[in-house]
Amino acid sequence: MDKILREFKNPSSKYRTAPFWSWNGIMEKEEIARQLKDFKDHGIGGAFAHPRIGMVTEYLSDDYFSAWQDALDVCREEDMKLYMYDED
């Protein structure tokens, strides 16, 4: 029971909110890390990386997958979840 109460008071990333994270700007490594760390600092456990129509980084390009890897690396370091959301 104590473990359940501890997890309820301070849930792991799998039980925290994970909002849509719109990728509608230039997704550079430093900015990705800044945004994800800001999410974590505000109690967010992860994010759904959400490509948007008109995004600056071309969808499914090498730069897109490089940004995805950068985001995944930060999430692993910060014990956060990263989900891919695709409606394109």
Side-chain angles (χ1 to χ4, degrees), residues 13-69:
S13 60
K14 70 181 177 180
Y15 296 117
R16 291 181 180 265
T17 188
F20 276 3
W21 177 28
S22 296
W23 281 20
N24 53 357
I26 297 174
M27 299 309 293
E28 294 177 338
K29 188 174 187 168
E30 296 79 16
E31 182 62 14
I32 288 168
R34 186 196 68 75
Q35 289 184 26
L36 285 169
K37 289 176 182 180
D38 188 48
F39 287 167
K40 182 164 184 174
D41 289 346
H42 287 89
I44 294 172
F48 286 85
H50 189 307
R52 304 292 296 196
I53 293 173
M55 63 186 281
V56 178
T57 304
E58 183 182 348
Y59 183 55
L60 300 181
S61 66
D62 288 342
D63 288 340
Y64 175 85
F65 285 111
S66 179
W68 177 262
Q69 185 63 57

Side-chain angles (χ1 to χ4, degrees), residues 69-80:
Q69 185 63 57
D70 292 339
L72 188 58
D73 291 344
V74 171
C75 284
R76 285 181 176 149
E77 290 170 14
E78 297 294 329
D79 191 28
M80 297 173 74

